[in-house]
Amino acid sequence: MSDASPRPAAYDEMYDAQGQVRPQYRAYAAWLQNQPSDAMAARQIEADLSFRRVGITFSVAGDAAGTERLIPFDLIPRIIPADEWRRLESGLTQRVRALNMFIHDIYHGHDIVRAGIIPAEHVFLNSQYRPEMQDIDVAENIYSHIAGIDLVRAGQGEFYVLEDNLRVPSGVSYMLEDRKMSMRLMPDVFSKIKVAPVAHYPDLLLDNLREVAPRSIDDPTVVVMTPGMYNSAYFEHAFLAQQMGVELVEGQDLFVENNTVYMRTTHGPKRVDVIYRRVDDDFLDPLSFRADSALGVPGLLSDYRAGRVTLANAIGTGIADDKATYLYVPDMIRFYLSEEPILSNVPTWQCAKADELSHVLANLSELVVKEVHGAGGYGMLVGPTSSKAQIAGFKERLQANPTNYIAQPTLALSTVPTFVQSGVAPRHVDLRPYVLCGKDIRTVPGGLCRVALTEGSLVVNSSQGGGTKDTWVLEE
């Protein structure tokens, strides 16, 4: 292991410093105390069997066997009081509004670049910038219709934004299925505790998508576009289409004719007005992006440019969830909204800058270093839990390509009691609330809570052994 200094103590969300149960957990703690351990174990087994029967699995990129894995579900919920959620909701709304304004600006007037707040090379030389989107007007000026904002809670209980997901944020199906499982396995608790509902998310999502249809359409047709059944998130694509009551389509099910997108049906072609696409930009249209893509729809970009179809999320949103862009979001909020950020960023070093790179290289054993375009917990170094050999190897990669990395302090992510093999024990968590942008900005109370099931681990990604918890936001 590394010689890093000990990590600061984590904030315990259920117990205060004196070991007393925090107010939001009191009713649940009283219920939990009366549960025999074998009853909790039986509930856990039932949950695992049920999730496997339903098919709530995922596959890991790079797994040659293509094995489908079950995402572990933990019985003990994360509970957030109403007043905390109100502040989080305000901060999320503010942040997503500013990010949408930023994306519009980048593809139109470039005001934030002209003002010197973001360097031009960071935008126009960024691999996520799509010059094909320049000067295209999109419905309601909304680019990220569905955003997943990752939040972490640090040592004193303060929330930070860890990263913004504005391309094709996933995981909302687990939020919904976790709640259904909690209500099935612990129905008596919900009669004692008023928990804000999340089951209406698919209805909100459908309303949101219909609101951003091309203006001339009174009764828009919405579809969910998937890369296909071999995609790691295919369960979610099918789940959301079913929950919204819309068609799940692949690229081969759609075609473009006379600047209009049509869906092939048994009754003949049917016009499509809104595509909730879970396909990356590069694969959407082989005539405009990757010519070898078999997942997209030839001519889709030209139809999109003509304003005849809405894509959610828009092409080119990746410029706003690049981890280097993340550094500038507080300045975006000040620039576009003339407001101070409600939610803070995690302090971040930009390795592209020589002085900041020097600091990072000198302190690798204490930092978390991430690839700018990385995701899923891959391509990162968690210094305090890495060996000297791992740190030395990563140092070489960092020196060879510093512009590809950012670094952050190792936060003591908050813990929530978790039902593990040895009993109930604290495990580190994060939270991904989902923010929907239509004519209004809406959230559902809570989000996807990911938990690092390995003792001491700070990596919560399912691909790295993490699980999920239900998130209960208390009603007033």
Side-chain angles (χ1 to χ4, degrees):
M1 299 299 292
S2 68
D3 298 325
S5 55
R7 242 178 278 155
Y11 180 86
D12 191 312
E13 298 200 10
M14 187 167 177
Y15 298 99
D16 64 20
Q18 287 71 47
Q20 300 298 309
V21 178
R22 299 187 191 276
Q24 67 268 28
Y25 270 95
R26 285 175 188 160
Y28 181 82
W31 177 86
L32 183 62
Q33 193 170 16
N34 291 324
Q35 302 303 305
S37 60
D38 58 345
M40 291 296 284
R43 288 187 180 99
Q44 188 66 64
I45 291 170
E46 184 178 349
D48 292 346
L49 288 173
S50 178
F51 279 148
R52 193 169 291 283
R53 276 197 303 271
V54 173
I56 307 176
T57 59
F58 72 103
S59 59
V60 177
D63 183 349
T67 309
E68 290 289 319
R69 302 187 191 179
L70 182 74
I71 296 184
F73 164 70
D74 182 65
L75 287 167
I76 301 177
R78 182 182 195 173
I79 302 179
I80 298 175
D83 58 337
E84 274 186 8
W85 177 252
R86 277 199 307 274
R87 182 175 180 277
L88 288 177
E89 190 174 37
S90 297
L92 293 166
T93 299
Q94 178 194 58
R95 191 173 182 98
V96 171
R97 178 176 287 122
L99 283 164
N100 266 307
M101 293 174 76
F102 165 71
I103 304 170
H104 179 266
D105 181 22
I106 287 308
Y107 292 115
H108 288 80
H110 316 146
D111 292 339
I112 200 165
V113 173
R114 295 177 194 278
I117 294 170
I118 295 182
E121 62 272 18
H122 171 77
V123 173
F124 303 115
L125 298 182
N126 192 302
S127 64
Q128 296 302 315
Y129 169 71
R130 300 290 178 181
E132 300 87 352
M133 287 295 293
Q134 196 62 49
D135 299 320
I136 294 181
D137 293 321
V138 299
E140 307 295 333
N141 288 335
I142 298 168
Y143 288 77
S144 183
H145 309 83
I146 304 100
I149 308 298
D150 289 349
L151 303 175
V152 294
R153 197 167 197 173
Q156 301 303 312
E158 67 277 19
F159 280 97
Y160 290 96
V161 176
L162 187 63
E163 61 183 58
D164 306 292
N165 299 280
L166 283 83
R167 277 176 279 185
V168 281
S170 62
V172 75
S173 58
Y174 304 112
M175 174 190 83
L176 297 169
E177 289 294 323
D178 286 355
R179 174 59 54 84
K180 284 166 63 177
M181 186 58 64
S182 292
M183 295 181 76
R184 173 179 158 186
L185 297 178
M186 301 177 283
D188 48 329
V189 183
F190 286 87
S191 65
K192 298 180 176 69
I193 303 174
K194 291 184 177 179
V195 180
V198 297
H200 60 298
Y201 175 87
D203 296 329
L204 278 183
L205 176 58
L206 182 58
D207 289 345
N208 185 76
L209 294 172
R210 289 171 61 89
E211 285 176 2
V212 294
R215 287 199 177 103
S216 59
I217 307 301
D218 294 327
D219 186 20
T221 296
V222 177
V223 298
V224 176
M225 182 181 176
T226 177
M229 63 183 295
Y230 296 107
N231 183 267
S232 62
Y234 180 75
F235 165 79
E236 177 157 295
H237 307 164
F239 175 87
L240 288 174
Q242 187 269 332
Q243 292 289 308
M244 288 192 289
V246 304
E247 293 294 332
L248 178 69
V249 301
E250 297 181 29
Q252 62 188 357
D253 300 318
L254 305 175
F255 66 94
V256 173
E257 192 173 278
N258 298 325
N259 265 359
T260 303
V261 180
Y262 293 96
M263 169 175 52
R264 294 181 173 90
T265 78
T266 55
H267 301 290
K270 180 178 177 61
R271 176 171 172 163
V272 172
D273 308 298
V274 181
I275 301 174
Y276 176 22
R277 52 99 176 196
R278 299 296 293 260
V279 176
D280 290 340
D281 288 357
D282 282 338
F283 300 95
L284 275 176
D285 182 348
L287 300 183
S288 301
F289 301 111
R290 284 187 54 159
D292 61 346
S293 171
L295 303 176
V297 184
L300 181 60
L301 179 63
S302 64
D303 188 38
Y304 186 45
R305 291 176 69 95
R308 302 273 292 169
V309 69
T310 295
L311 298 178
N313 288 341
I315 295 170
T317 54
I319 187 67
D321 70 8
D322 178 288
K323 290 182 177 66
T325 303
Y326 162 91
L327 295 163
Y328 299 100
V329 178
D331 290 330
M332 288 178 203
I333 292 170
R334 298 182 185 103
F335 182 75
Y336 295 116
L337 303 178
S338 301
E339 298 171 359
E340 280 302 305
I342 297 170
L343 297 174
S344 299
N345 275 13
V346 176
T348 304
W349 291 275
Q350 198 169 358
C351 297
K353 297 181 178 178
D355 55 336
E356 298 189 22
L357 174 63
S358 297
H359 172 83
V360 171
L361 291 172
N363 295 277
L364 276 179
S365 63
E366 300 173 15
L367 302 174
V368 175
V369 187
K370 302 176 182 177
E371 285 185 348
V372 168
H373 306 306
Y378 295 102
M380 65 185 289
L381 175 82
V382 181
T385 61
S386 299
S387 66
K388 289 182 178 179
Q390 288 171 325
I391 291 172
F394 205 92
K395 186 174 184 177
E396 292 180 5
R397 290 162 59 187
L398 188 52
Q399 288 172 318
N401 189 10
T403 59
N404 198 39
Y405 295 93
I406 61 165
Q408 296 171 330
T410 306
L411 296 180
L413 303 188
S414 62
T415 63
V416 174
T418 301
F419 190 74
V420 295
Q421 200 164 15
S422 58
V424 177
R427 292 292 186 267
H428 297 289
V429 292
D430 76 352
L431 181 66
R432 177 178 291 179
Y434 295 90
V435 186
L436 300 177
C437 295
K439 291 183 177 175
D440 297 307
I441 297 180
R442 311 173 181 100
T443 62
V444 290
L448 172 66
C449 176
R450 300 182 297 180
V451 53
L453 294 172
T454 303
E455 184 176 2
S457 174
L458 296 171
V459 183
V460 298
N461 304 78
S462 55
S463 56
Q464 307 289 306
T468 66
K469 284 177 171 287
D470 193 6
T471 303
W472 297 2
V473 173
L474 301 184
E475 294 189 319
E476 295 289 358

